[in-house]
Amino acid sequence: MSVPTLKQAPVQENTRILGIGAYRPDIIVTNDDVCQWIDSSDEWIRQRTGIVTRHRAPADVSVIDMAEGAAQEALKQAGIEPSQLGAVIVSTVTHPYATPSAAASLADRLGATPAPAFDISAACAGYCYGIAQGDALVRSGAAKYVLVVGAEKLSDVIDNHERTISFLLGDGAGAVVIGPSDTPGIGPSVWGSDGSKWDAIGMTRSMLDVRALSQAARQSDESGDFALLEEAQDLWPTLRQDGQTVFRWAVWEMAKVAQQALEAAGVQAEDLVAFIPHQANMRIIDEMVKKLKLPESVTVARDIADAGNTSAASIPLATHRLLQENPGLSGGLALQIGFGAGLVFGAQVVVLP
């Protein structure tokens, strides 16, 4: 019995980023504002992190709202209608529902239905993971155009009174459209993980813990056990990090990954017009620049000073600002690298839209 030959989607050789968009919430939180909650100072925060302000979204603005704002600008810049999208990817760790995905709702709002839509949980590397998947979907013929969004409302998952990570974080969203190109526009992705440091950045408790505590709270309320009731008052999981572990890993290991991305793309540091690392900490950025021996001709994104650390949104937000302030960089090569909770990492060299 003969087996019919299957048809496969035609392969697209080259891809590139066609358009970029950003959404920055209106509320600006200064270091002095932050110091109302923690024992610190504007000077200490600036010296240790490089952060001066961060944007935070009001209660009535969601992850999906911010993603929509960024996506609309990216689509307009790319000249693509939402109905042309072959996939919608949202990188986020702060969408408050395990399911359904933020991406499915975003696709509906944009008018991209019935495009497949899914979320990526890769924290601060989420955008680079999204670029890797969007690039692969277009080149494989599975989609002609892919929307990749990094969107975070980190103000929902912090305890303002703790000082390992809360003062670093901001809210926002950035988005790009990936599509076919006559020439290569996205280099090979160098991505991976190190689960041995799984607990270096994470939540204070799981949703199962929340359920157990809520059940205990009900029982303690009925029995008059006020100790249990007090323990259950603050059920919401919040972020914590082991700052020294993360700093050492980022400085020593991520420069190696960035160098690997350059080599995979077949380019050298002097070929770049921009370096766009995850906006985690200004000192980490400075150390990476030194280790990569970037020439002064390379513009380094330092959006963290005004935006804080926005996790999956940080690279597209920084790219958007870089192009606004330096439009002459458009069409040049940029090295981007994301890294964070997992621990996970991803990097590519891309042609700037």
Side-chain angles (χ1 to χ4, degrees):
M1 175 178 151
S2 62
V3 178
T5 301
L6 293 176
K7 290 184 178 180
Q8 288 191 303
V11 175
Q12 168 64 43
E13 185 175 1
N14 300 314
T15 61
R16 69 174 293 165
I17 297 171
L18 302 175
I20 187 166
Y23 181 98
R24 297 177 188 269
D26 293 333
I27 299 174
I28 297 177
V29 178
T30 68
N31 289 338
D32 287 334
D33 293 330
V34 167
C35 292
Q36 297 177 61
W37 303 307
I38 62 173
D39 181 16
S40 188
S41 67
D42 173 63
E43 181 183 12
W44 186 90
I45 294 173
R46 288 184 191 229
Q47 288 180 348
R48 297 298 294 268
T49 71
I51 297 172
V52 180
T53 62
R54 70 283 290 146
H55 293 252
R56 289 188 178 166
D60 60 351
V61 173
S62 70
V63 165
I64 300 171
D65 293 330
M66 292 188 289
E68 182 181 8
Q72 287 175 338
E73 183 183 0
L75 286 163
K76 182 178 180 180
Q77 189 182 105
I80 301 300
E81 294 296 325
S83 59
Q84 295 177 269
L85 291 174
V88 175
I89 301 172
V90 175
S91 297
T92 184
V93 293
T94 50
H95 178 50
Y97 297 92
T99 191
S101 68
S105 178
L106 175 62
D108 175 63
R109 288 194 190 188
L110 294 172
T113 304
F118 59 95
D119 291 355
I120 296 174
S121 176
C124 306
Y127 172 74
C128 289
Y129 271 41
I131 294 296
Q133 294 187 42
D135 169 53
L137 287 171
V138 175
R139 287 197 295 114
S140 70
K144 187 172 183 180
Y145 300 105
V146 176
L147 175 68
V148 177
V149 185
E152 302 286 13
K153 191 177 182 184
L154 290 156
S155 57
D156 277 348
V157 293
I158 59 173
D159 172 0
N160 284 323
H161 297 281
E162 73 84 35
R163 56 178 301 140
T164 68
I165 198 169
S166 65
F167 65 97
L168 297 170
L169 304 178
D171 302 337
V176 294
V177 175
I178 296 174
S181 173
D182 294 333
T183 56
I186 300 175
S189 293
V190 177
W191 55 338
S193 66
D194 180 4
S196 69
K197 296 180 178 63
W198 186 81
D199 59 354
I201 310 172
M203 308 302 288
T204 51
R205 55 174 61 95
S206 73
M207 295 311 295
L208 294 177
D209 295 330
V210 171
R211 182 173 66 180
L213 280 170
S214 64
Q215 290 172 343
R218 285 197 299 270
Q219 293 169 0
S220 61
D221 190 31
E222 294 168 1
S223 65
D225 185 343
F226 295 109
L228 270 175
L229 186 60
E230 185 175 345
E231 181 184 354
Q233 288 299 308
D234 186 14
L235 299 177
W236 185 243
T238 55
L239 274 171
R240 297 289 189 279
Q241 75 166 344
D242 179 345
Q244 287 301 313
T245 296
V246 175
F247 185 88
R248 287 193 296 268
W249 175 77
V251 167
W252 291 105
E253 300 301 325
M254 291 306 97
K256 298 175 187 176
V257 172
Q259 184 61 46
Q260 290 169 15
L262 287 174
E263 293 168 0
V267 300
Q268 298 179 344
E270 52 264 33
D271 297 319
L272 301 174
V273 300
F275 175 47
I276 311 172
H278 166 49
Q279 305 293 292
N281 182 302
M282 196 73 81
R283 291 193 300 156
I284 292 175
I285 294 172
D286 291 340
E287 287 297 321
M288 291 183 73
V289 168
K290 291 178 186 176
K291 291 186 181 302
L292 289 168
K293 298 179 180 177
L294 296 181
E296 291 185 5
S297 59
V298 177
T299 302
V300 179
R302 300 182 187 278
D303 191 46
I304 187 171
D306 299 320
N309 178 344
T310 55
S311 188
S314 80
I315 292 175
L317 281 173
T319 304
H320 185 269
R321 170 166 286 172
L322 206 67
L323 289 170
Q324 278 190 326
E325 296 176 349
N326 307 274
L329 298 180
S330 178
L333 295 178
L335 168 62
Q336 59 186 29
I337 178 169
F339 45 87
L343 294 171
V344 293
F345 57 87
Q348 303 98 358
V349 176
V350 301
V351 174
L352 291 170

